[in-house]
């Protein structure tokens, strides 16, 4: 078990190009929706619907609730869909009631850990410094860390979106070294674009932010490591904007909420995005 878990966690991602088009990353976080039974049904359907998608074209991942992870792992055996956790404590163990440790996630053979989602930052008050500790612990334990960043509407209106993103990246990834590049993913999720009241961000605006973020990653870790880090966009992605978004040169993938929570809907978005790549 331990060996297998480590093998999964240690697998490296390659940034993008695979010859014809970029390799894209498509994932969903089911937030505090879907019970174990719901997750089983959803993943069984998604696994079957996406079974023919070559891994070199797209990397798919699903991040269900903690309580669903064991069932999800079981269902995803033999599937290329990666499994993620929505959060993680930076400590291995201790007096942290209600927290989930990296060792507990290792037991479940989780591939990636989502860190700093907008709701963690803005509903539960997590700070950049805490996200840094979580990213560092995740990478140390062999998981891939998916760091989420994004400005609020107020910050956007002050014209400081790029400054905010640079701070979130520079602090959140502050302990990373160039050799950690293959263990990192970043999701740009503007707070104002997320959820039922979200306003989808325009593709040009998204690409500009992604460009700034990629420059920041290069400053932090060097050009080569930065090229290994996929930068995904999330926030009201839907069947209508998925293709224009993925066509942006600096958008490496999409991180989808509501529009991906039915397996058929997610599969349709995946197919449309893959088609747009060819
Ligand atoms: P949404 O959620 O697609 O429902 O806006 C995105 C997210 O929170 O990651």
């Amino acid at each position: 078990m331990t060996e297998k878990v480590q093998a999964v966690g240690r697998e490296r991602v390659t940034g993008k190009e695979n010859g014809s088009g970029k390799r894209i990353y498509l994932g969903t976080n089911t937030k505090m929706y879907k019970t174990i039974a719901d997750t089983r049904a959803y993943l069984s359907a998604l696994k079957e619907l996406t079974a023919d998608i070559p891994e070199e074209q797209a990397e798919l991942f699903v991040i269900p609730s903690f309580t669903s992870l064991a069932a999800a792992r079981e269902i995803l055996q033999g599937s290329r869909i990666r499994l993620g956790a929505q959060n993680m404590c930076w400590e291995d163990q201790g007096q942290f009631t209600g927290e989930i440790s990296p060792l507990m996630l290792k037991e479940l053979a989780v591939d990636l850990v989502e860190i700093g989602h907008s709701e963690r930052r803005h509903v539960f008050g997590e700070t950049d410094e805490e996200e840094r500790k979580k990213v560092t612990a995740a990478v140390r334990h062999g998981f891939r860390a998916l760091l989420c960043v994004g400005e609020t509407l107020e910050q956007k209106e002050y014209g400081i979106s790029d400054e905010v993103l640079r701070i979130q990246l520079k602090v959140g990834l502050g302990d990373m070294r160039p050799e950690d590049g293959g263990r990192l993913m970043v999701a740009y999720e503007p707070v104002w674009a997320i959820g039922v009241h979200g306003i989808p961000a325009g593709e040009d605006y998204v690409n500009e932010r992604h460009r700034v973020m990629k420059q920041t990653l290069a400053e932090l870790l060097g050009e080569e490591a930065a090229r290994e880090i996929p930068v995904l966009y999330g926030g009201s992605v839907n069947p209508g904007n998925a293709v224009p978004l993925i066509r942006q040169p600096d958008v490496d993938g999409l991180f989808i909420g509501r529009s991906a929570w039915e397996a058929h809907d997610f599969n349709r978005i995946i197919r449309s995005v893959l088609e747009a790549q060819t």
Side-chain angles (χ1 to χ4, degrees):
M1 177 73 169
T2 312
E3 262 174 40
K4 182 166 175 292
V5 172
Q6 286 183 349
V8 170
R10 293 263 149 82
E11 215 169 292
R12 291 176 72 81
V13 282
T14 55
K16 39 201 290 191
E17 300 295 327
N18 73 337
S20 54
K22 60 187 178 186
R23 181 183 194 215
I24 52 178
Y25 296 78
L26 297 162
T28 184
N29 152 28
T30 65
K31 307 194 181 187
M32 201 177 72
Y33 294 98
K34 293 197 188 296
T35 60
I36 298 172
D38 297 337
T39 304
R40 278 184 185 279
Y42 172 72
L43 286 179
S44 304
L46 190 67
K47 178 179 169 180
E48 205 173 306
L49 288 166
T50 60
D52 63 319
I53 296 175
E55 199 169 15
E56 59 278 8
Q57 267 184 34
E59 182 175 320
L60 308 178
F61 61 92
V62 174
I63 310 183
S65 63
F66 283 118
T67 56
S68 301
L69 283 172
R73 181 74 288 164
E74 195 185 294
I75 286 171
L76 293 180
Q77 291 302 342
S79 160
R80 287 181 301 263
I81 300 172
R82 305 293 168 100
L83 182 64
Q86 296 182 8
N87 185 19
M88 188 190 80
C89 185
W90 55 82
E91 294 289 345
D92 286 359
Q93 59 179 29
Q95 301 179 98
F96 299 100
T97 302
E99 290 290 308
I100 304 286
S101 101
L103 303 180
M104 295 166 184
L105 295 180
K106 267 191 175 170
E107 274 187 309
L108 294 165
V110 158
D111 303 301
L112 62 110
V113 181
E114 177 180 8
I115 291 163
H117 184 273
S118 163
E119 288 143 22
R120 297 303 318 166
R121 292 175 186 267
H122 299 286
V123 180
F124 297 100
E126 289 185 10
T127 64
D128 285 328
E129 185 59 22
E130 286 168 340
E131 312 312 2
R132 181 187 62 76
K133 290 197 272 185
K134 294 181 185 199
V135 168
T136 305
V139 169
R140 188 176 68 241
H141 281 285
F143 299 114
R144 201 181 315 160
L146 168 58
L147 177 66
C148 302
V149 296
E151 80 280 11
T152 63
L153 185 59
E154 195 184 15
Q155 289 164 334
K156 177 173 180 274
E157 285 170 353
Y158 275 121
I160 56 170
S161 304
D162 292 343
E163 286 87 340
V164 170
L165 295 173
R166 285 170 61 79
I167 290 168
Q168 290 178 345
L169 288 176
K170 286 204 163 181
V171 178
L173 303 179
D175 295 332
M176 295 295 100
R177 301 152 305 166
E179 55 269 36
D180 298 320
R183 302 272 176 76
L184 301 172
M185 294 168 87
V186 171
Y188 170 50
E189 300 207 297
V191 181
W192 47 271
I194 294 176
V196 274
H197 303 298
I199 311 150
E203 62 267 20
D204 294 337
Y205 182 86
V206 169
N207 200 60
E208 281 167 35
R209 305 287 82 69
H210 278 225
R211 214 175 42 235
V212 170
M213 292 169 55
K214 288 187 173 199
Q215 279 162 6
T216 310
L217 293 171
E219 276 170 39
L220 257 178
L221 299 169
E223 299 271 348
E224 202 181 314
R227 269 197 300 275
E228 284 196 289
I229 306 174
V231 182
L232 284 62
Y233 169 76
S236 295
V237 173
N238 59 60
N241 65 8
V243 167
L245 281 164
I246 202 68
R247 285 204 167 123
Q248 296 300 311
D250 292 310
V251 175
D252 304 316
L254 302 172
F255 192 23
I256 313 171
R258 291 156 293 152
S259 298
W261 293 343
E262 291 295 334
H264 280 90
D265 294 345
F266 191 16
N267 181 51
R268 267 192 289 273
I269 294 182
I270 295 167
R271 303 281 166 180
S272 69
V273 161
L274 286 178
E275 211 166 291
Q277 288 291 105
T278 53

